[in-house]
Amino acid sequence: MAHAVAQALRTLEAEFAPPAARTAPPPVADAALSEARQFVIFHIEKEMFAVSLSEVQEIIRVPDVVRVPLSPGSLLGLANLRGTVLPVLNLRDVLSFPQALHDDATRVVVLDQGHPIGFVVDRMANVVTVEAERIEPAASLRGTFDTDLLSGMIKDVGGGSMVMILDAVQLVRREFSAIAAGGPAASGFARPDGLASAAAEAAIDEDQLVSFEVAGQEYAFPIEQVQEIVQLPEHVTQVPNTPGHVLGVITLRNRLLPLVALREMFGLPAKAFGGTDKIVVVSLGGDGGFSVGVVMDSVKEVLRVNRSLVEIMPALLNQGGTMDEIQAICRLQDGKRLVSVLSADRLFDVQDVRQALAAGEEMMGTRNGSEGETVQDSIDEEQFVVFRLMDEEYGVPIEAVQEIVRVPDELTRIPRAPHFVEGVINLRGVVLPVIDQRRRFNLPGTGRSDRQRIMVFTIRDVRTGFIVDSVSEVMRISARMIGDAPHLSDAQKRLIRRVANLEDQKRMILLLDILQLLDTDEAAALGHVAP
């Protein structure tokens, strides 16, 4: 790989480098060669910088990018690199140089940081082999440059120029502190050894819980036990000779998923299923990746709570093992809000669920017969409503969209309404608060147009409309084309969890988690606007 990159850079060198830079480096003695290092050199403004050749994956022209809201200002956007999502950073922003238009010489240096990340540079120079004695520590530049981003300097390059060696790991860590705090599992980026940050230290004392509601009571699972949250489908295949709390099975991403109703498990009154019912897919850790879908009345939010607020279930309340599935109690809002933390492993009788799964597999196999291939194809897809803001495309699950309406000529302004509320409209006798999604994403405003629409969601039990530039289409997307979004900031990661990378169509669609469009306080404030 390094040899191929070096060959490509030497070709670029002949095209872009000044005559002095085209001179081949002097021969290096065998003894010195063992300590020599190779660097890729490029220009930003009038300065020259270098990165280690071993870190460089490839050099490409500036690609088309998708802008990501709520991300660091230095992020140019996300690009498609042969099916991989590539974050692209503008080094001029990172290093506080003035902005400049891209031209034919502008390139993106793609580095391997566990996941590819691209740096936009003004133009390439060359590849050099540098003996150890020509590399000075970055401390000698202290006071004139941010030396925290440098690992050293190269002396006497191209007739006396000094080249600053960028510390790419430190640069990525500083620009995307969320990546560093989250580690590889959360972000898709490699985490350097010995990394410590205030955010990481704070996270050590926190638990993350996915909270939901059943019959007016709030429960939660530890987030590490939750695989995903999906809409309850209209049809569930019922399985005979199973306990009453086992609803049946559904197909989800190439597998059968047994469904369990928490109401029936806890002996609570049954109710008809509606649009707010959700399936929380949990894993049973000690059982080889076995998954179960738990049907809830509604999903509330992802909680970050200090561990001091989480108390192990008192033994006195669990005499006789009747409440063994509740492993802890979380006390919020000075004890006014109690959340029962469930244990997935204690909650289910694995034998019952396995029996339902085996029976479901037999029924589905008999029922589908020769149509199995068609059923398999439909399992492997998700359906989204795609809309536009500025030049970018976003998607939300089709089941989350209640309706789409035109923006009226005038919205009624409400005194003392939350600042993010554009106004309210009368939607068939119901007062609907409306939010301008551009404003929520800190995007430039725009005038009203005939293409704009209001997308209506119910978020935390509050019916809310969001103005978007246009609604493009409803489309099915193969699960193979959907991956996790890079962790660029905490706000972005909560809202934009996944990306659909449609390489054949040269499209990248940012997939939103609608529950994160409003937090709990905002939803409560909207509830007062539209009672």
Side-chain angles (χ1 to χ4, degrees), residues 213 276 298 300 458-463 523:
E213 191 170 278
T276 62
S298 64
K300 294 179 70 68
T458 296
I459 304 172
R460 308 182 198 283
D461 299 324
V462 178
R463 205 163 183 235

Side-chain angles (χ1 to χ4, degrees), residues 410-445:
E410 292 186 6
L411 281 78
T412 303
R413 308 285 178 175
I414 301 295
R416 296 191 297 277
H419 67 91
F420 53 85
V421 176
E422 184 77 4
V424 298
I425 64 172
N426 185 334
L427 186 63
R428 293 186 298 281
V430 176
V431 176
L432 181 75
V434 176
I435 294 169
D436 190 322
Q437 192 59 41
R438 278 185 175 239
R439 186 184 303 172
R440 294 290 285 175
F441 280 172
N442 297 322
L443 300 174

Side-chain angles (χ1 to χ4, degrees), residues 260-292:
V260 172
L262 211 58
R263 276 180 170 264
E264 279 73 5
M265 287 193 72
F266 288 173
L268 300 171
K271 77 171 185 67
F273 295 125
T276 62
D277 293 288
K278 294 290 188 294
I279 299 172
V280 178
V281 183
V282 298
S283 58
L284 305 187
D287 200 44
F290 188 59
S291 300
V292 179

Side-chain angles (χ1 to χ4, degrees), residues 484-523:
D484 292 339
H487 193 162
L488 306 172
S489 72
D490 285 342
Q492 165 267 319
K493 185 60 177 177
R494 284 194 299 270
L495 182 58
I496 305 170
R497 296 180 181 273
R498 300 187 295 165
V499 176
N501 192 359
L502 311 181
E503 188 175 7
D504 293 343
Q505 302 179 37
K506 296 182 178 179
R507 297 168 69 185
M508 192 175 293
I509 301 173
L510 307 176
L511 305 179
L512 304 183
D513 179 348
I514 67 152
L515 284 177
Q516 300 301 323
L517 288 173
L518 296 173
D519 63 29
T520 305
D521 293 339
E522 290 171 338

Side-chain angles (χ1 to χ4, degrees), residues 66 78-80 386-388 393-394 472-475 477 481 499-510:
V66 171
L78 302 180
N80 179 3
V386 179
F387 65 90
R388 283 187 172 272
E393 291 187 294
Y394 300 82
S472 309
E473 59 186 302
V474 175
M475 65 186 306
I477 302 177
M481 299 178 183
V499 176
N501 192 359
L502 311 181
E503 188 175 7
D504 293 343
Q505 302 179 37
K506 296 182 178 179
R507 297 168 69 185
M508 192 175 293
I509 301 173
L510 307 176

Side-chain angles (χ1 to χ4, degrees), residues 210 223 225-231 252-253 255 257 278-283 291-294 299 382 498:
V210 179
I223 197 168
Q225 295 180 5
V226 178
Q227 295 180 346
E228 59 184 311
I229 300 169
V230 297
Q231 184 74 21
L252 181 68
R253 299 196 224 307
R255 70 182 191 273
L257 180 73
K278 294 290 188 294
I279 299 172
V280 178
V281 183
V282 298
S283 58
S291 300
V292 179
V294 188
V299 174
E382 294 184 60
R498 300 187 295 165

Side-chain angles (χ1 to χ4, degrees), residues 331-384:
R331 301 181 183 275
L332 304 177
Q333 299 174 3
D334 295 327
K336 298 176 182 177
R337 178 183 175 188
L338 300 181
V339 181
S340 301
V341 182
L342 302 178
S343 167
D345 289 320
R346 300 177 190 172
L347 189 61
F348 305 106
D349 184 329
V350 175
Q351 187 61 36
D352 287 346
V353 179
R354 281 202 178 280
Q355 177 186 345
L357 183 59
E361 287 174 345
E362 182 178 351
M363 291 174 60
M364 295 295 285
T366 303
R367 179 177 301 171
N368 293 334
S370 61
E371 298 179 5
E373 188 173 339
T374 304
V375 172
Q376 188 74 16
D377 291 341
S378 65
I379 293 170
D380 196 35
E381 291 181 336
E382 294 184 60
Q383 200 167 9
F384 296 93

Side-chain angles (χ1 to χ4, degrees), residues 74-96:
S74 59
L75 183 77
L76 187 65
L78 302 180
N80 179 3
L81 182 66
R82 296 184 301 279
T84 299
V85 177
L86 174 71
V88 180
L89 274 176
N90 191 340
L91 275 188
R92 280 183 168 264
D93 285 328
V94 175
L95 302 176
S96 301

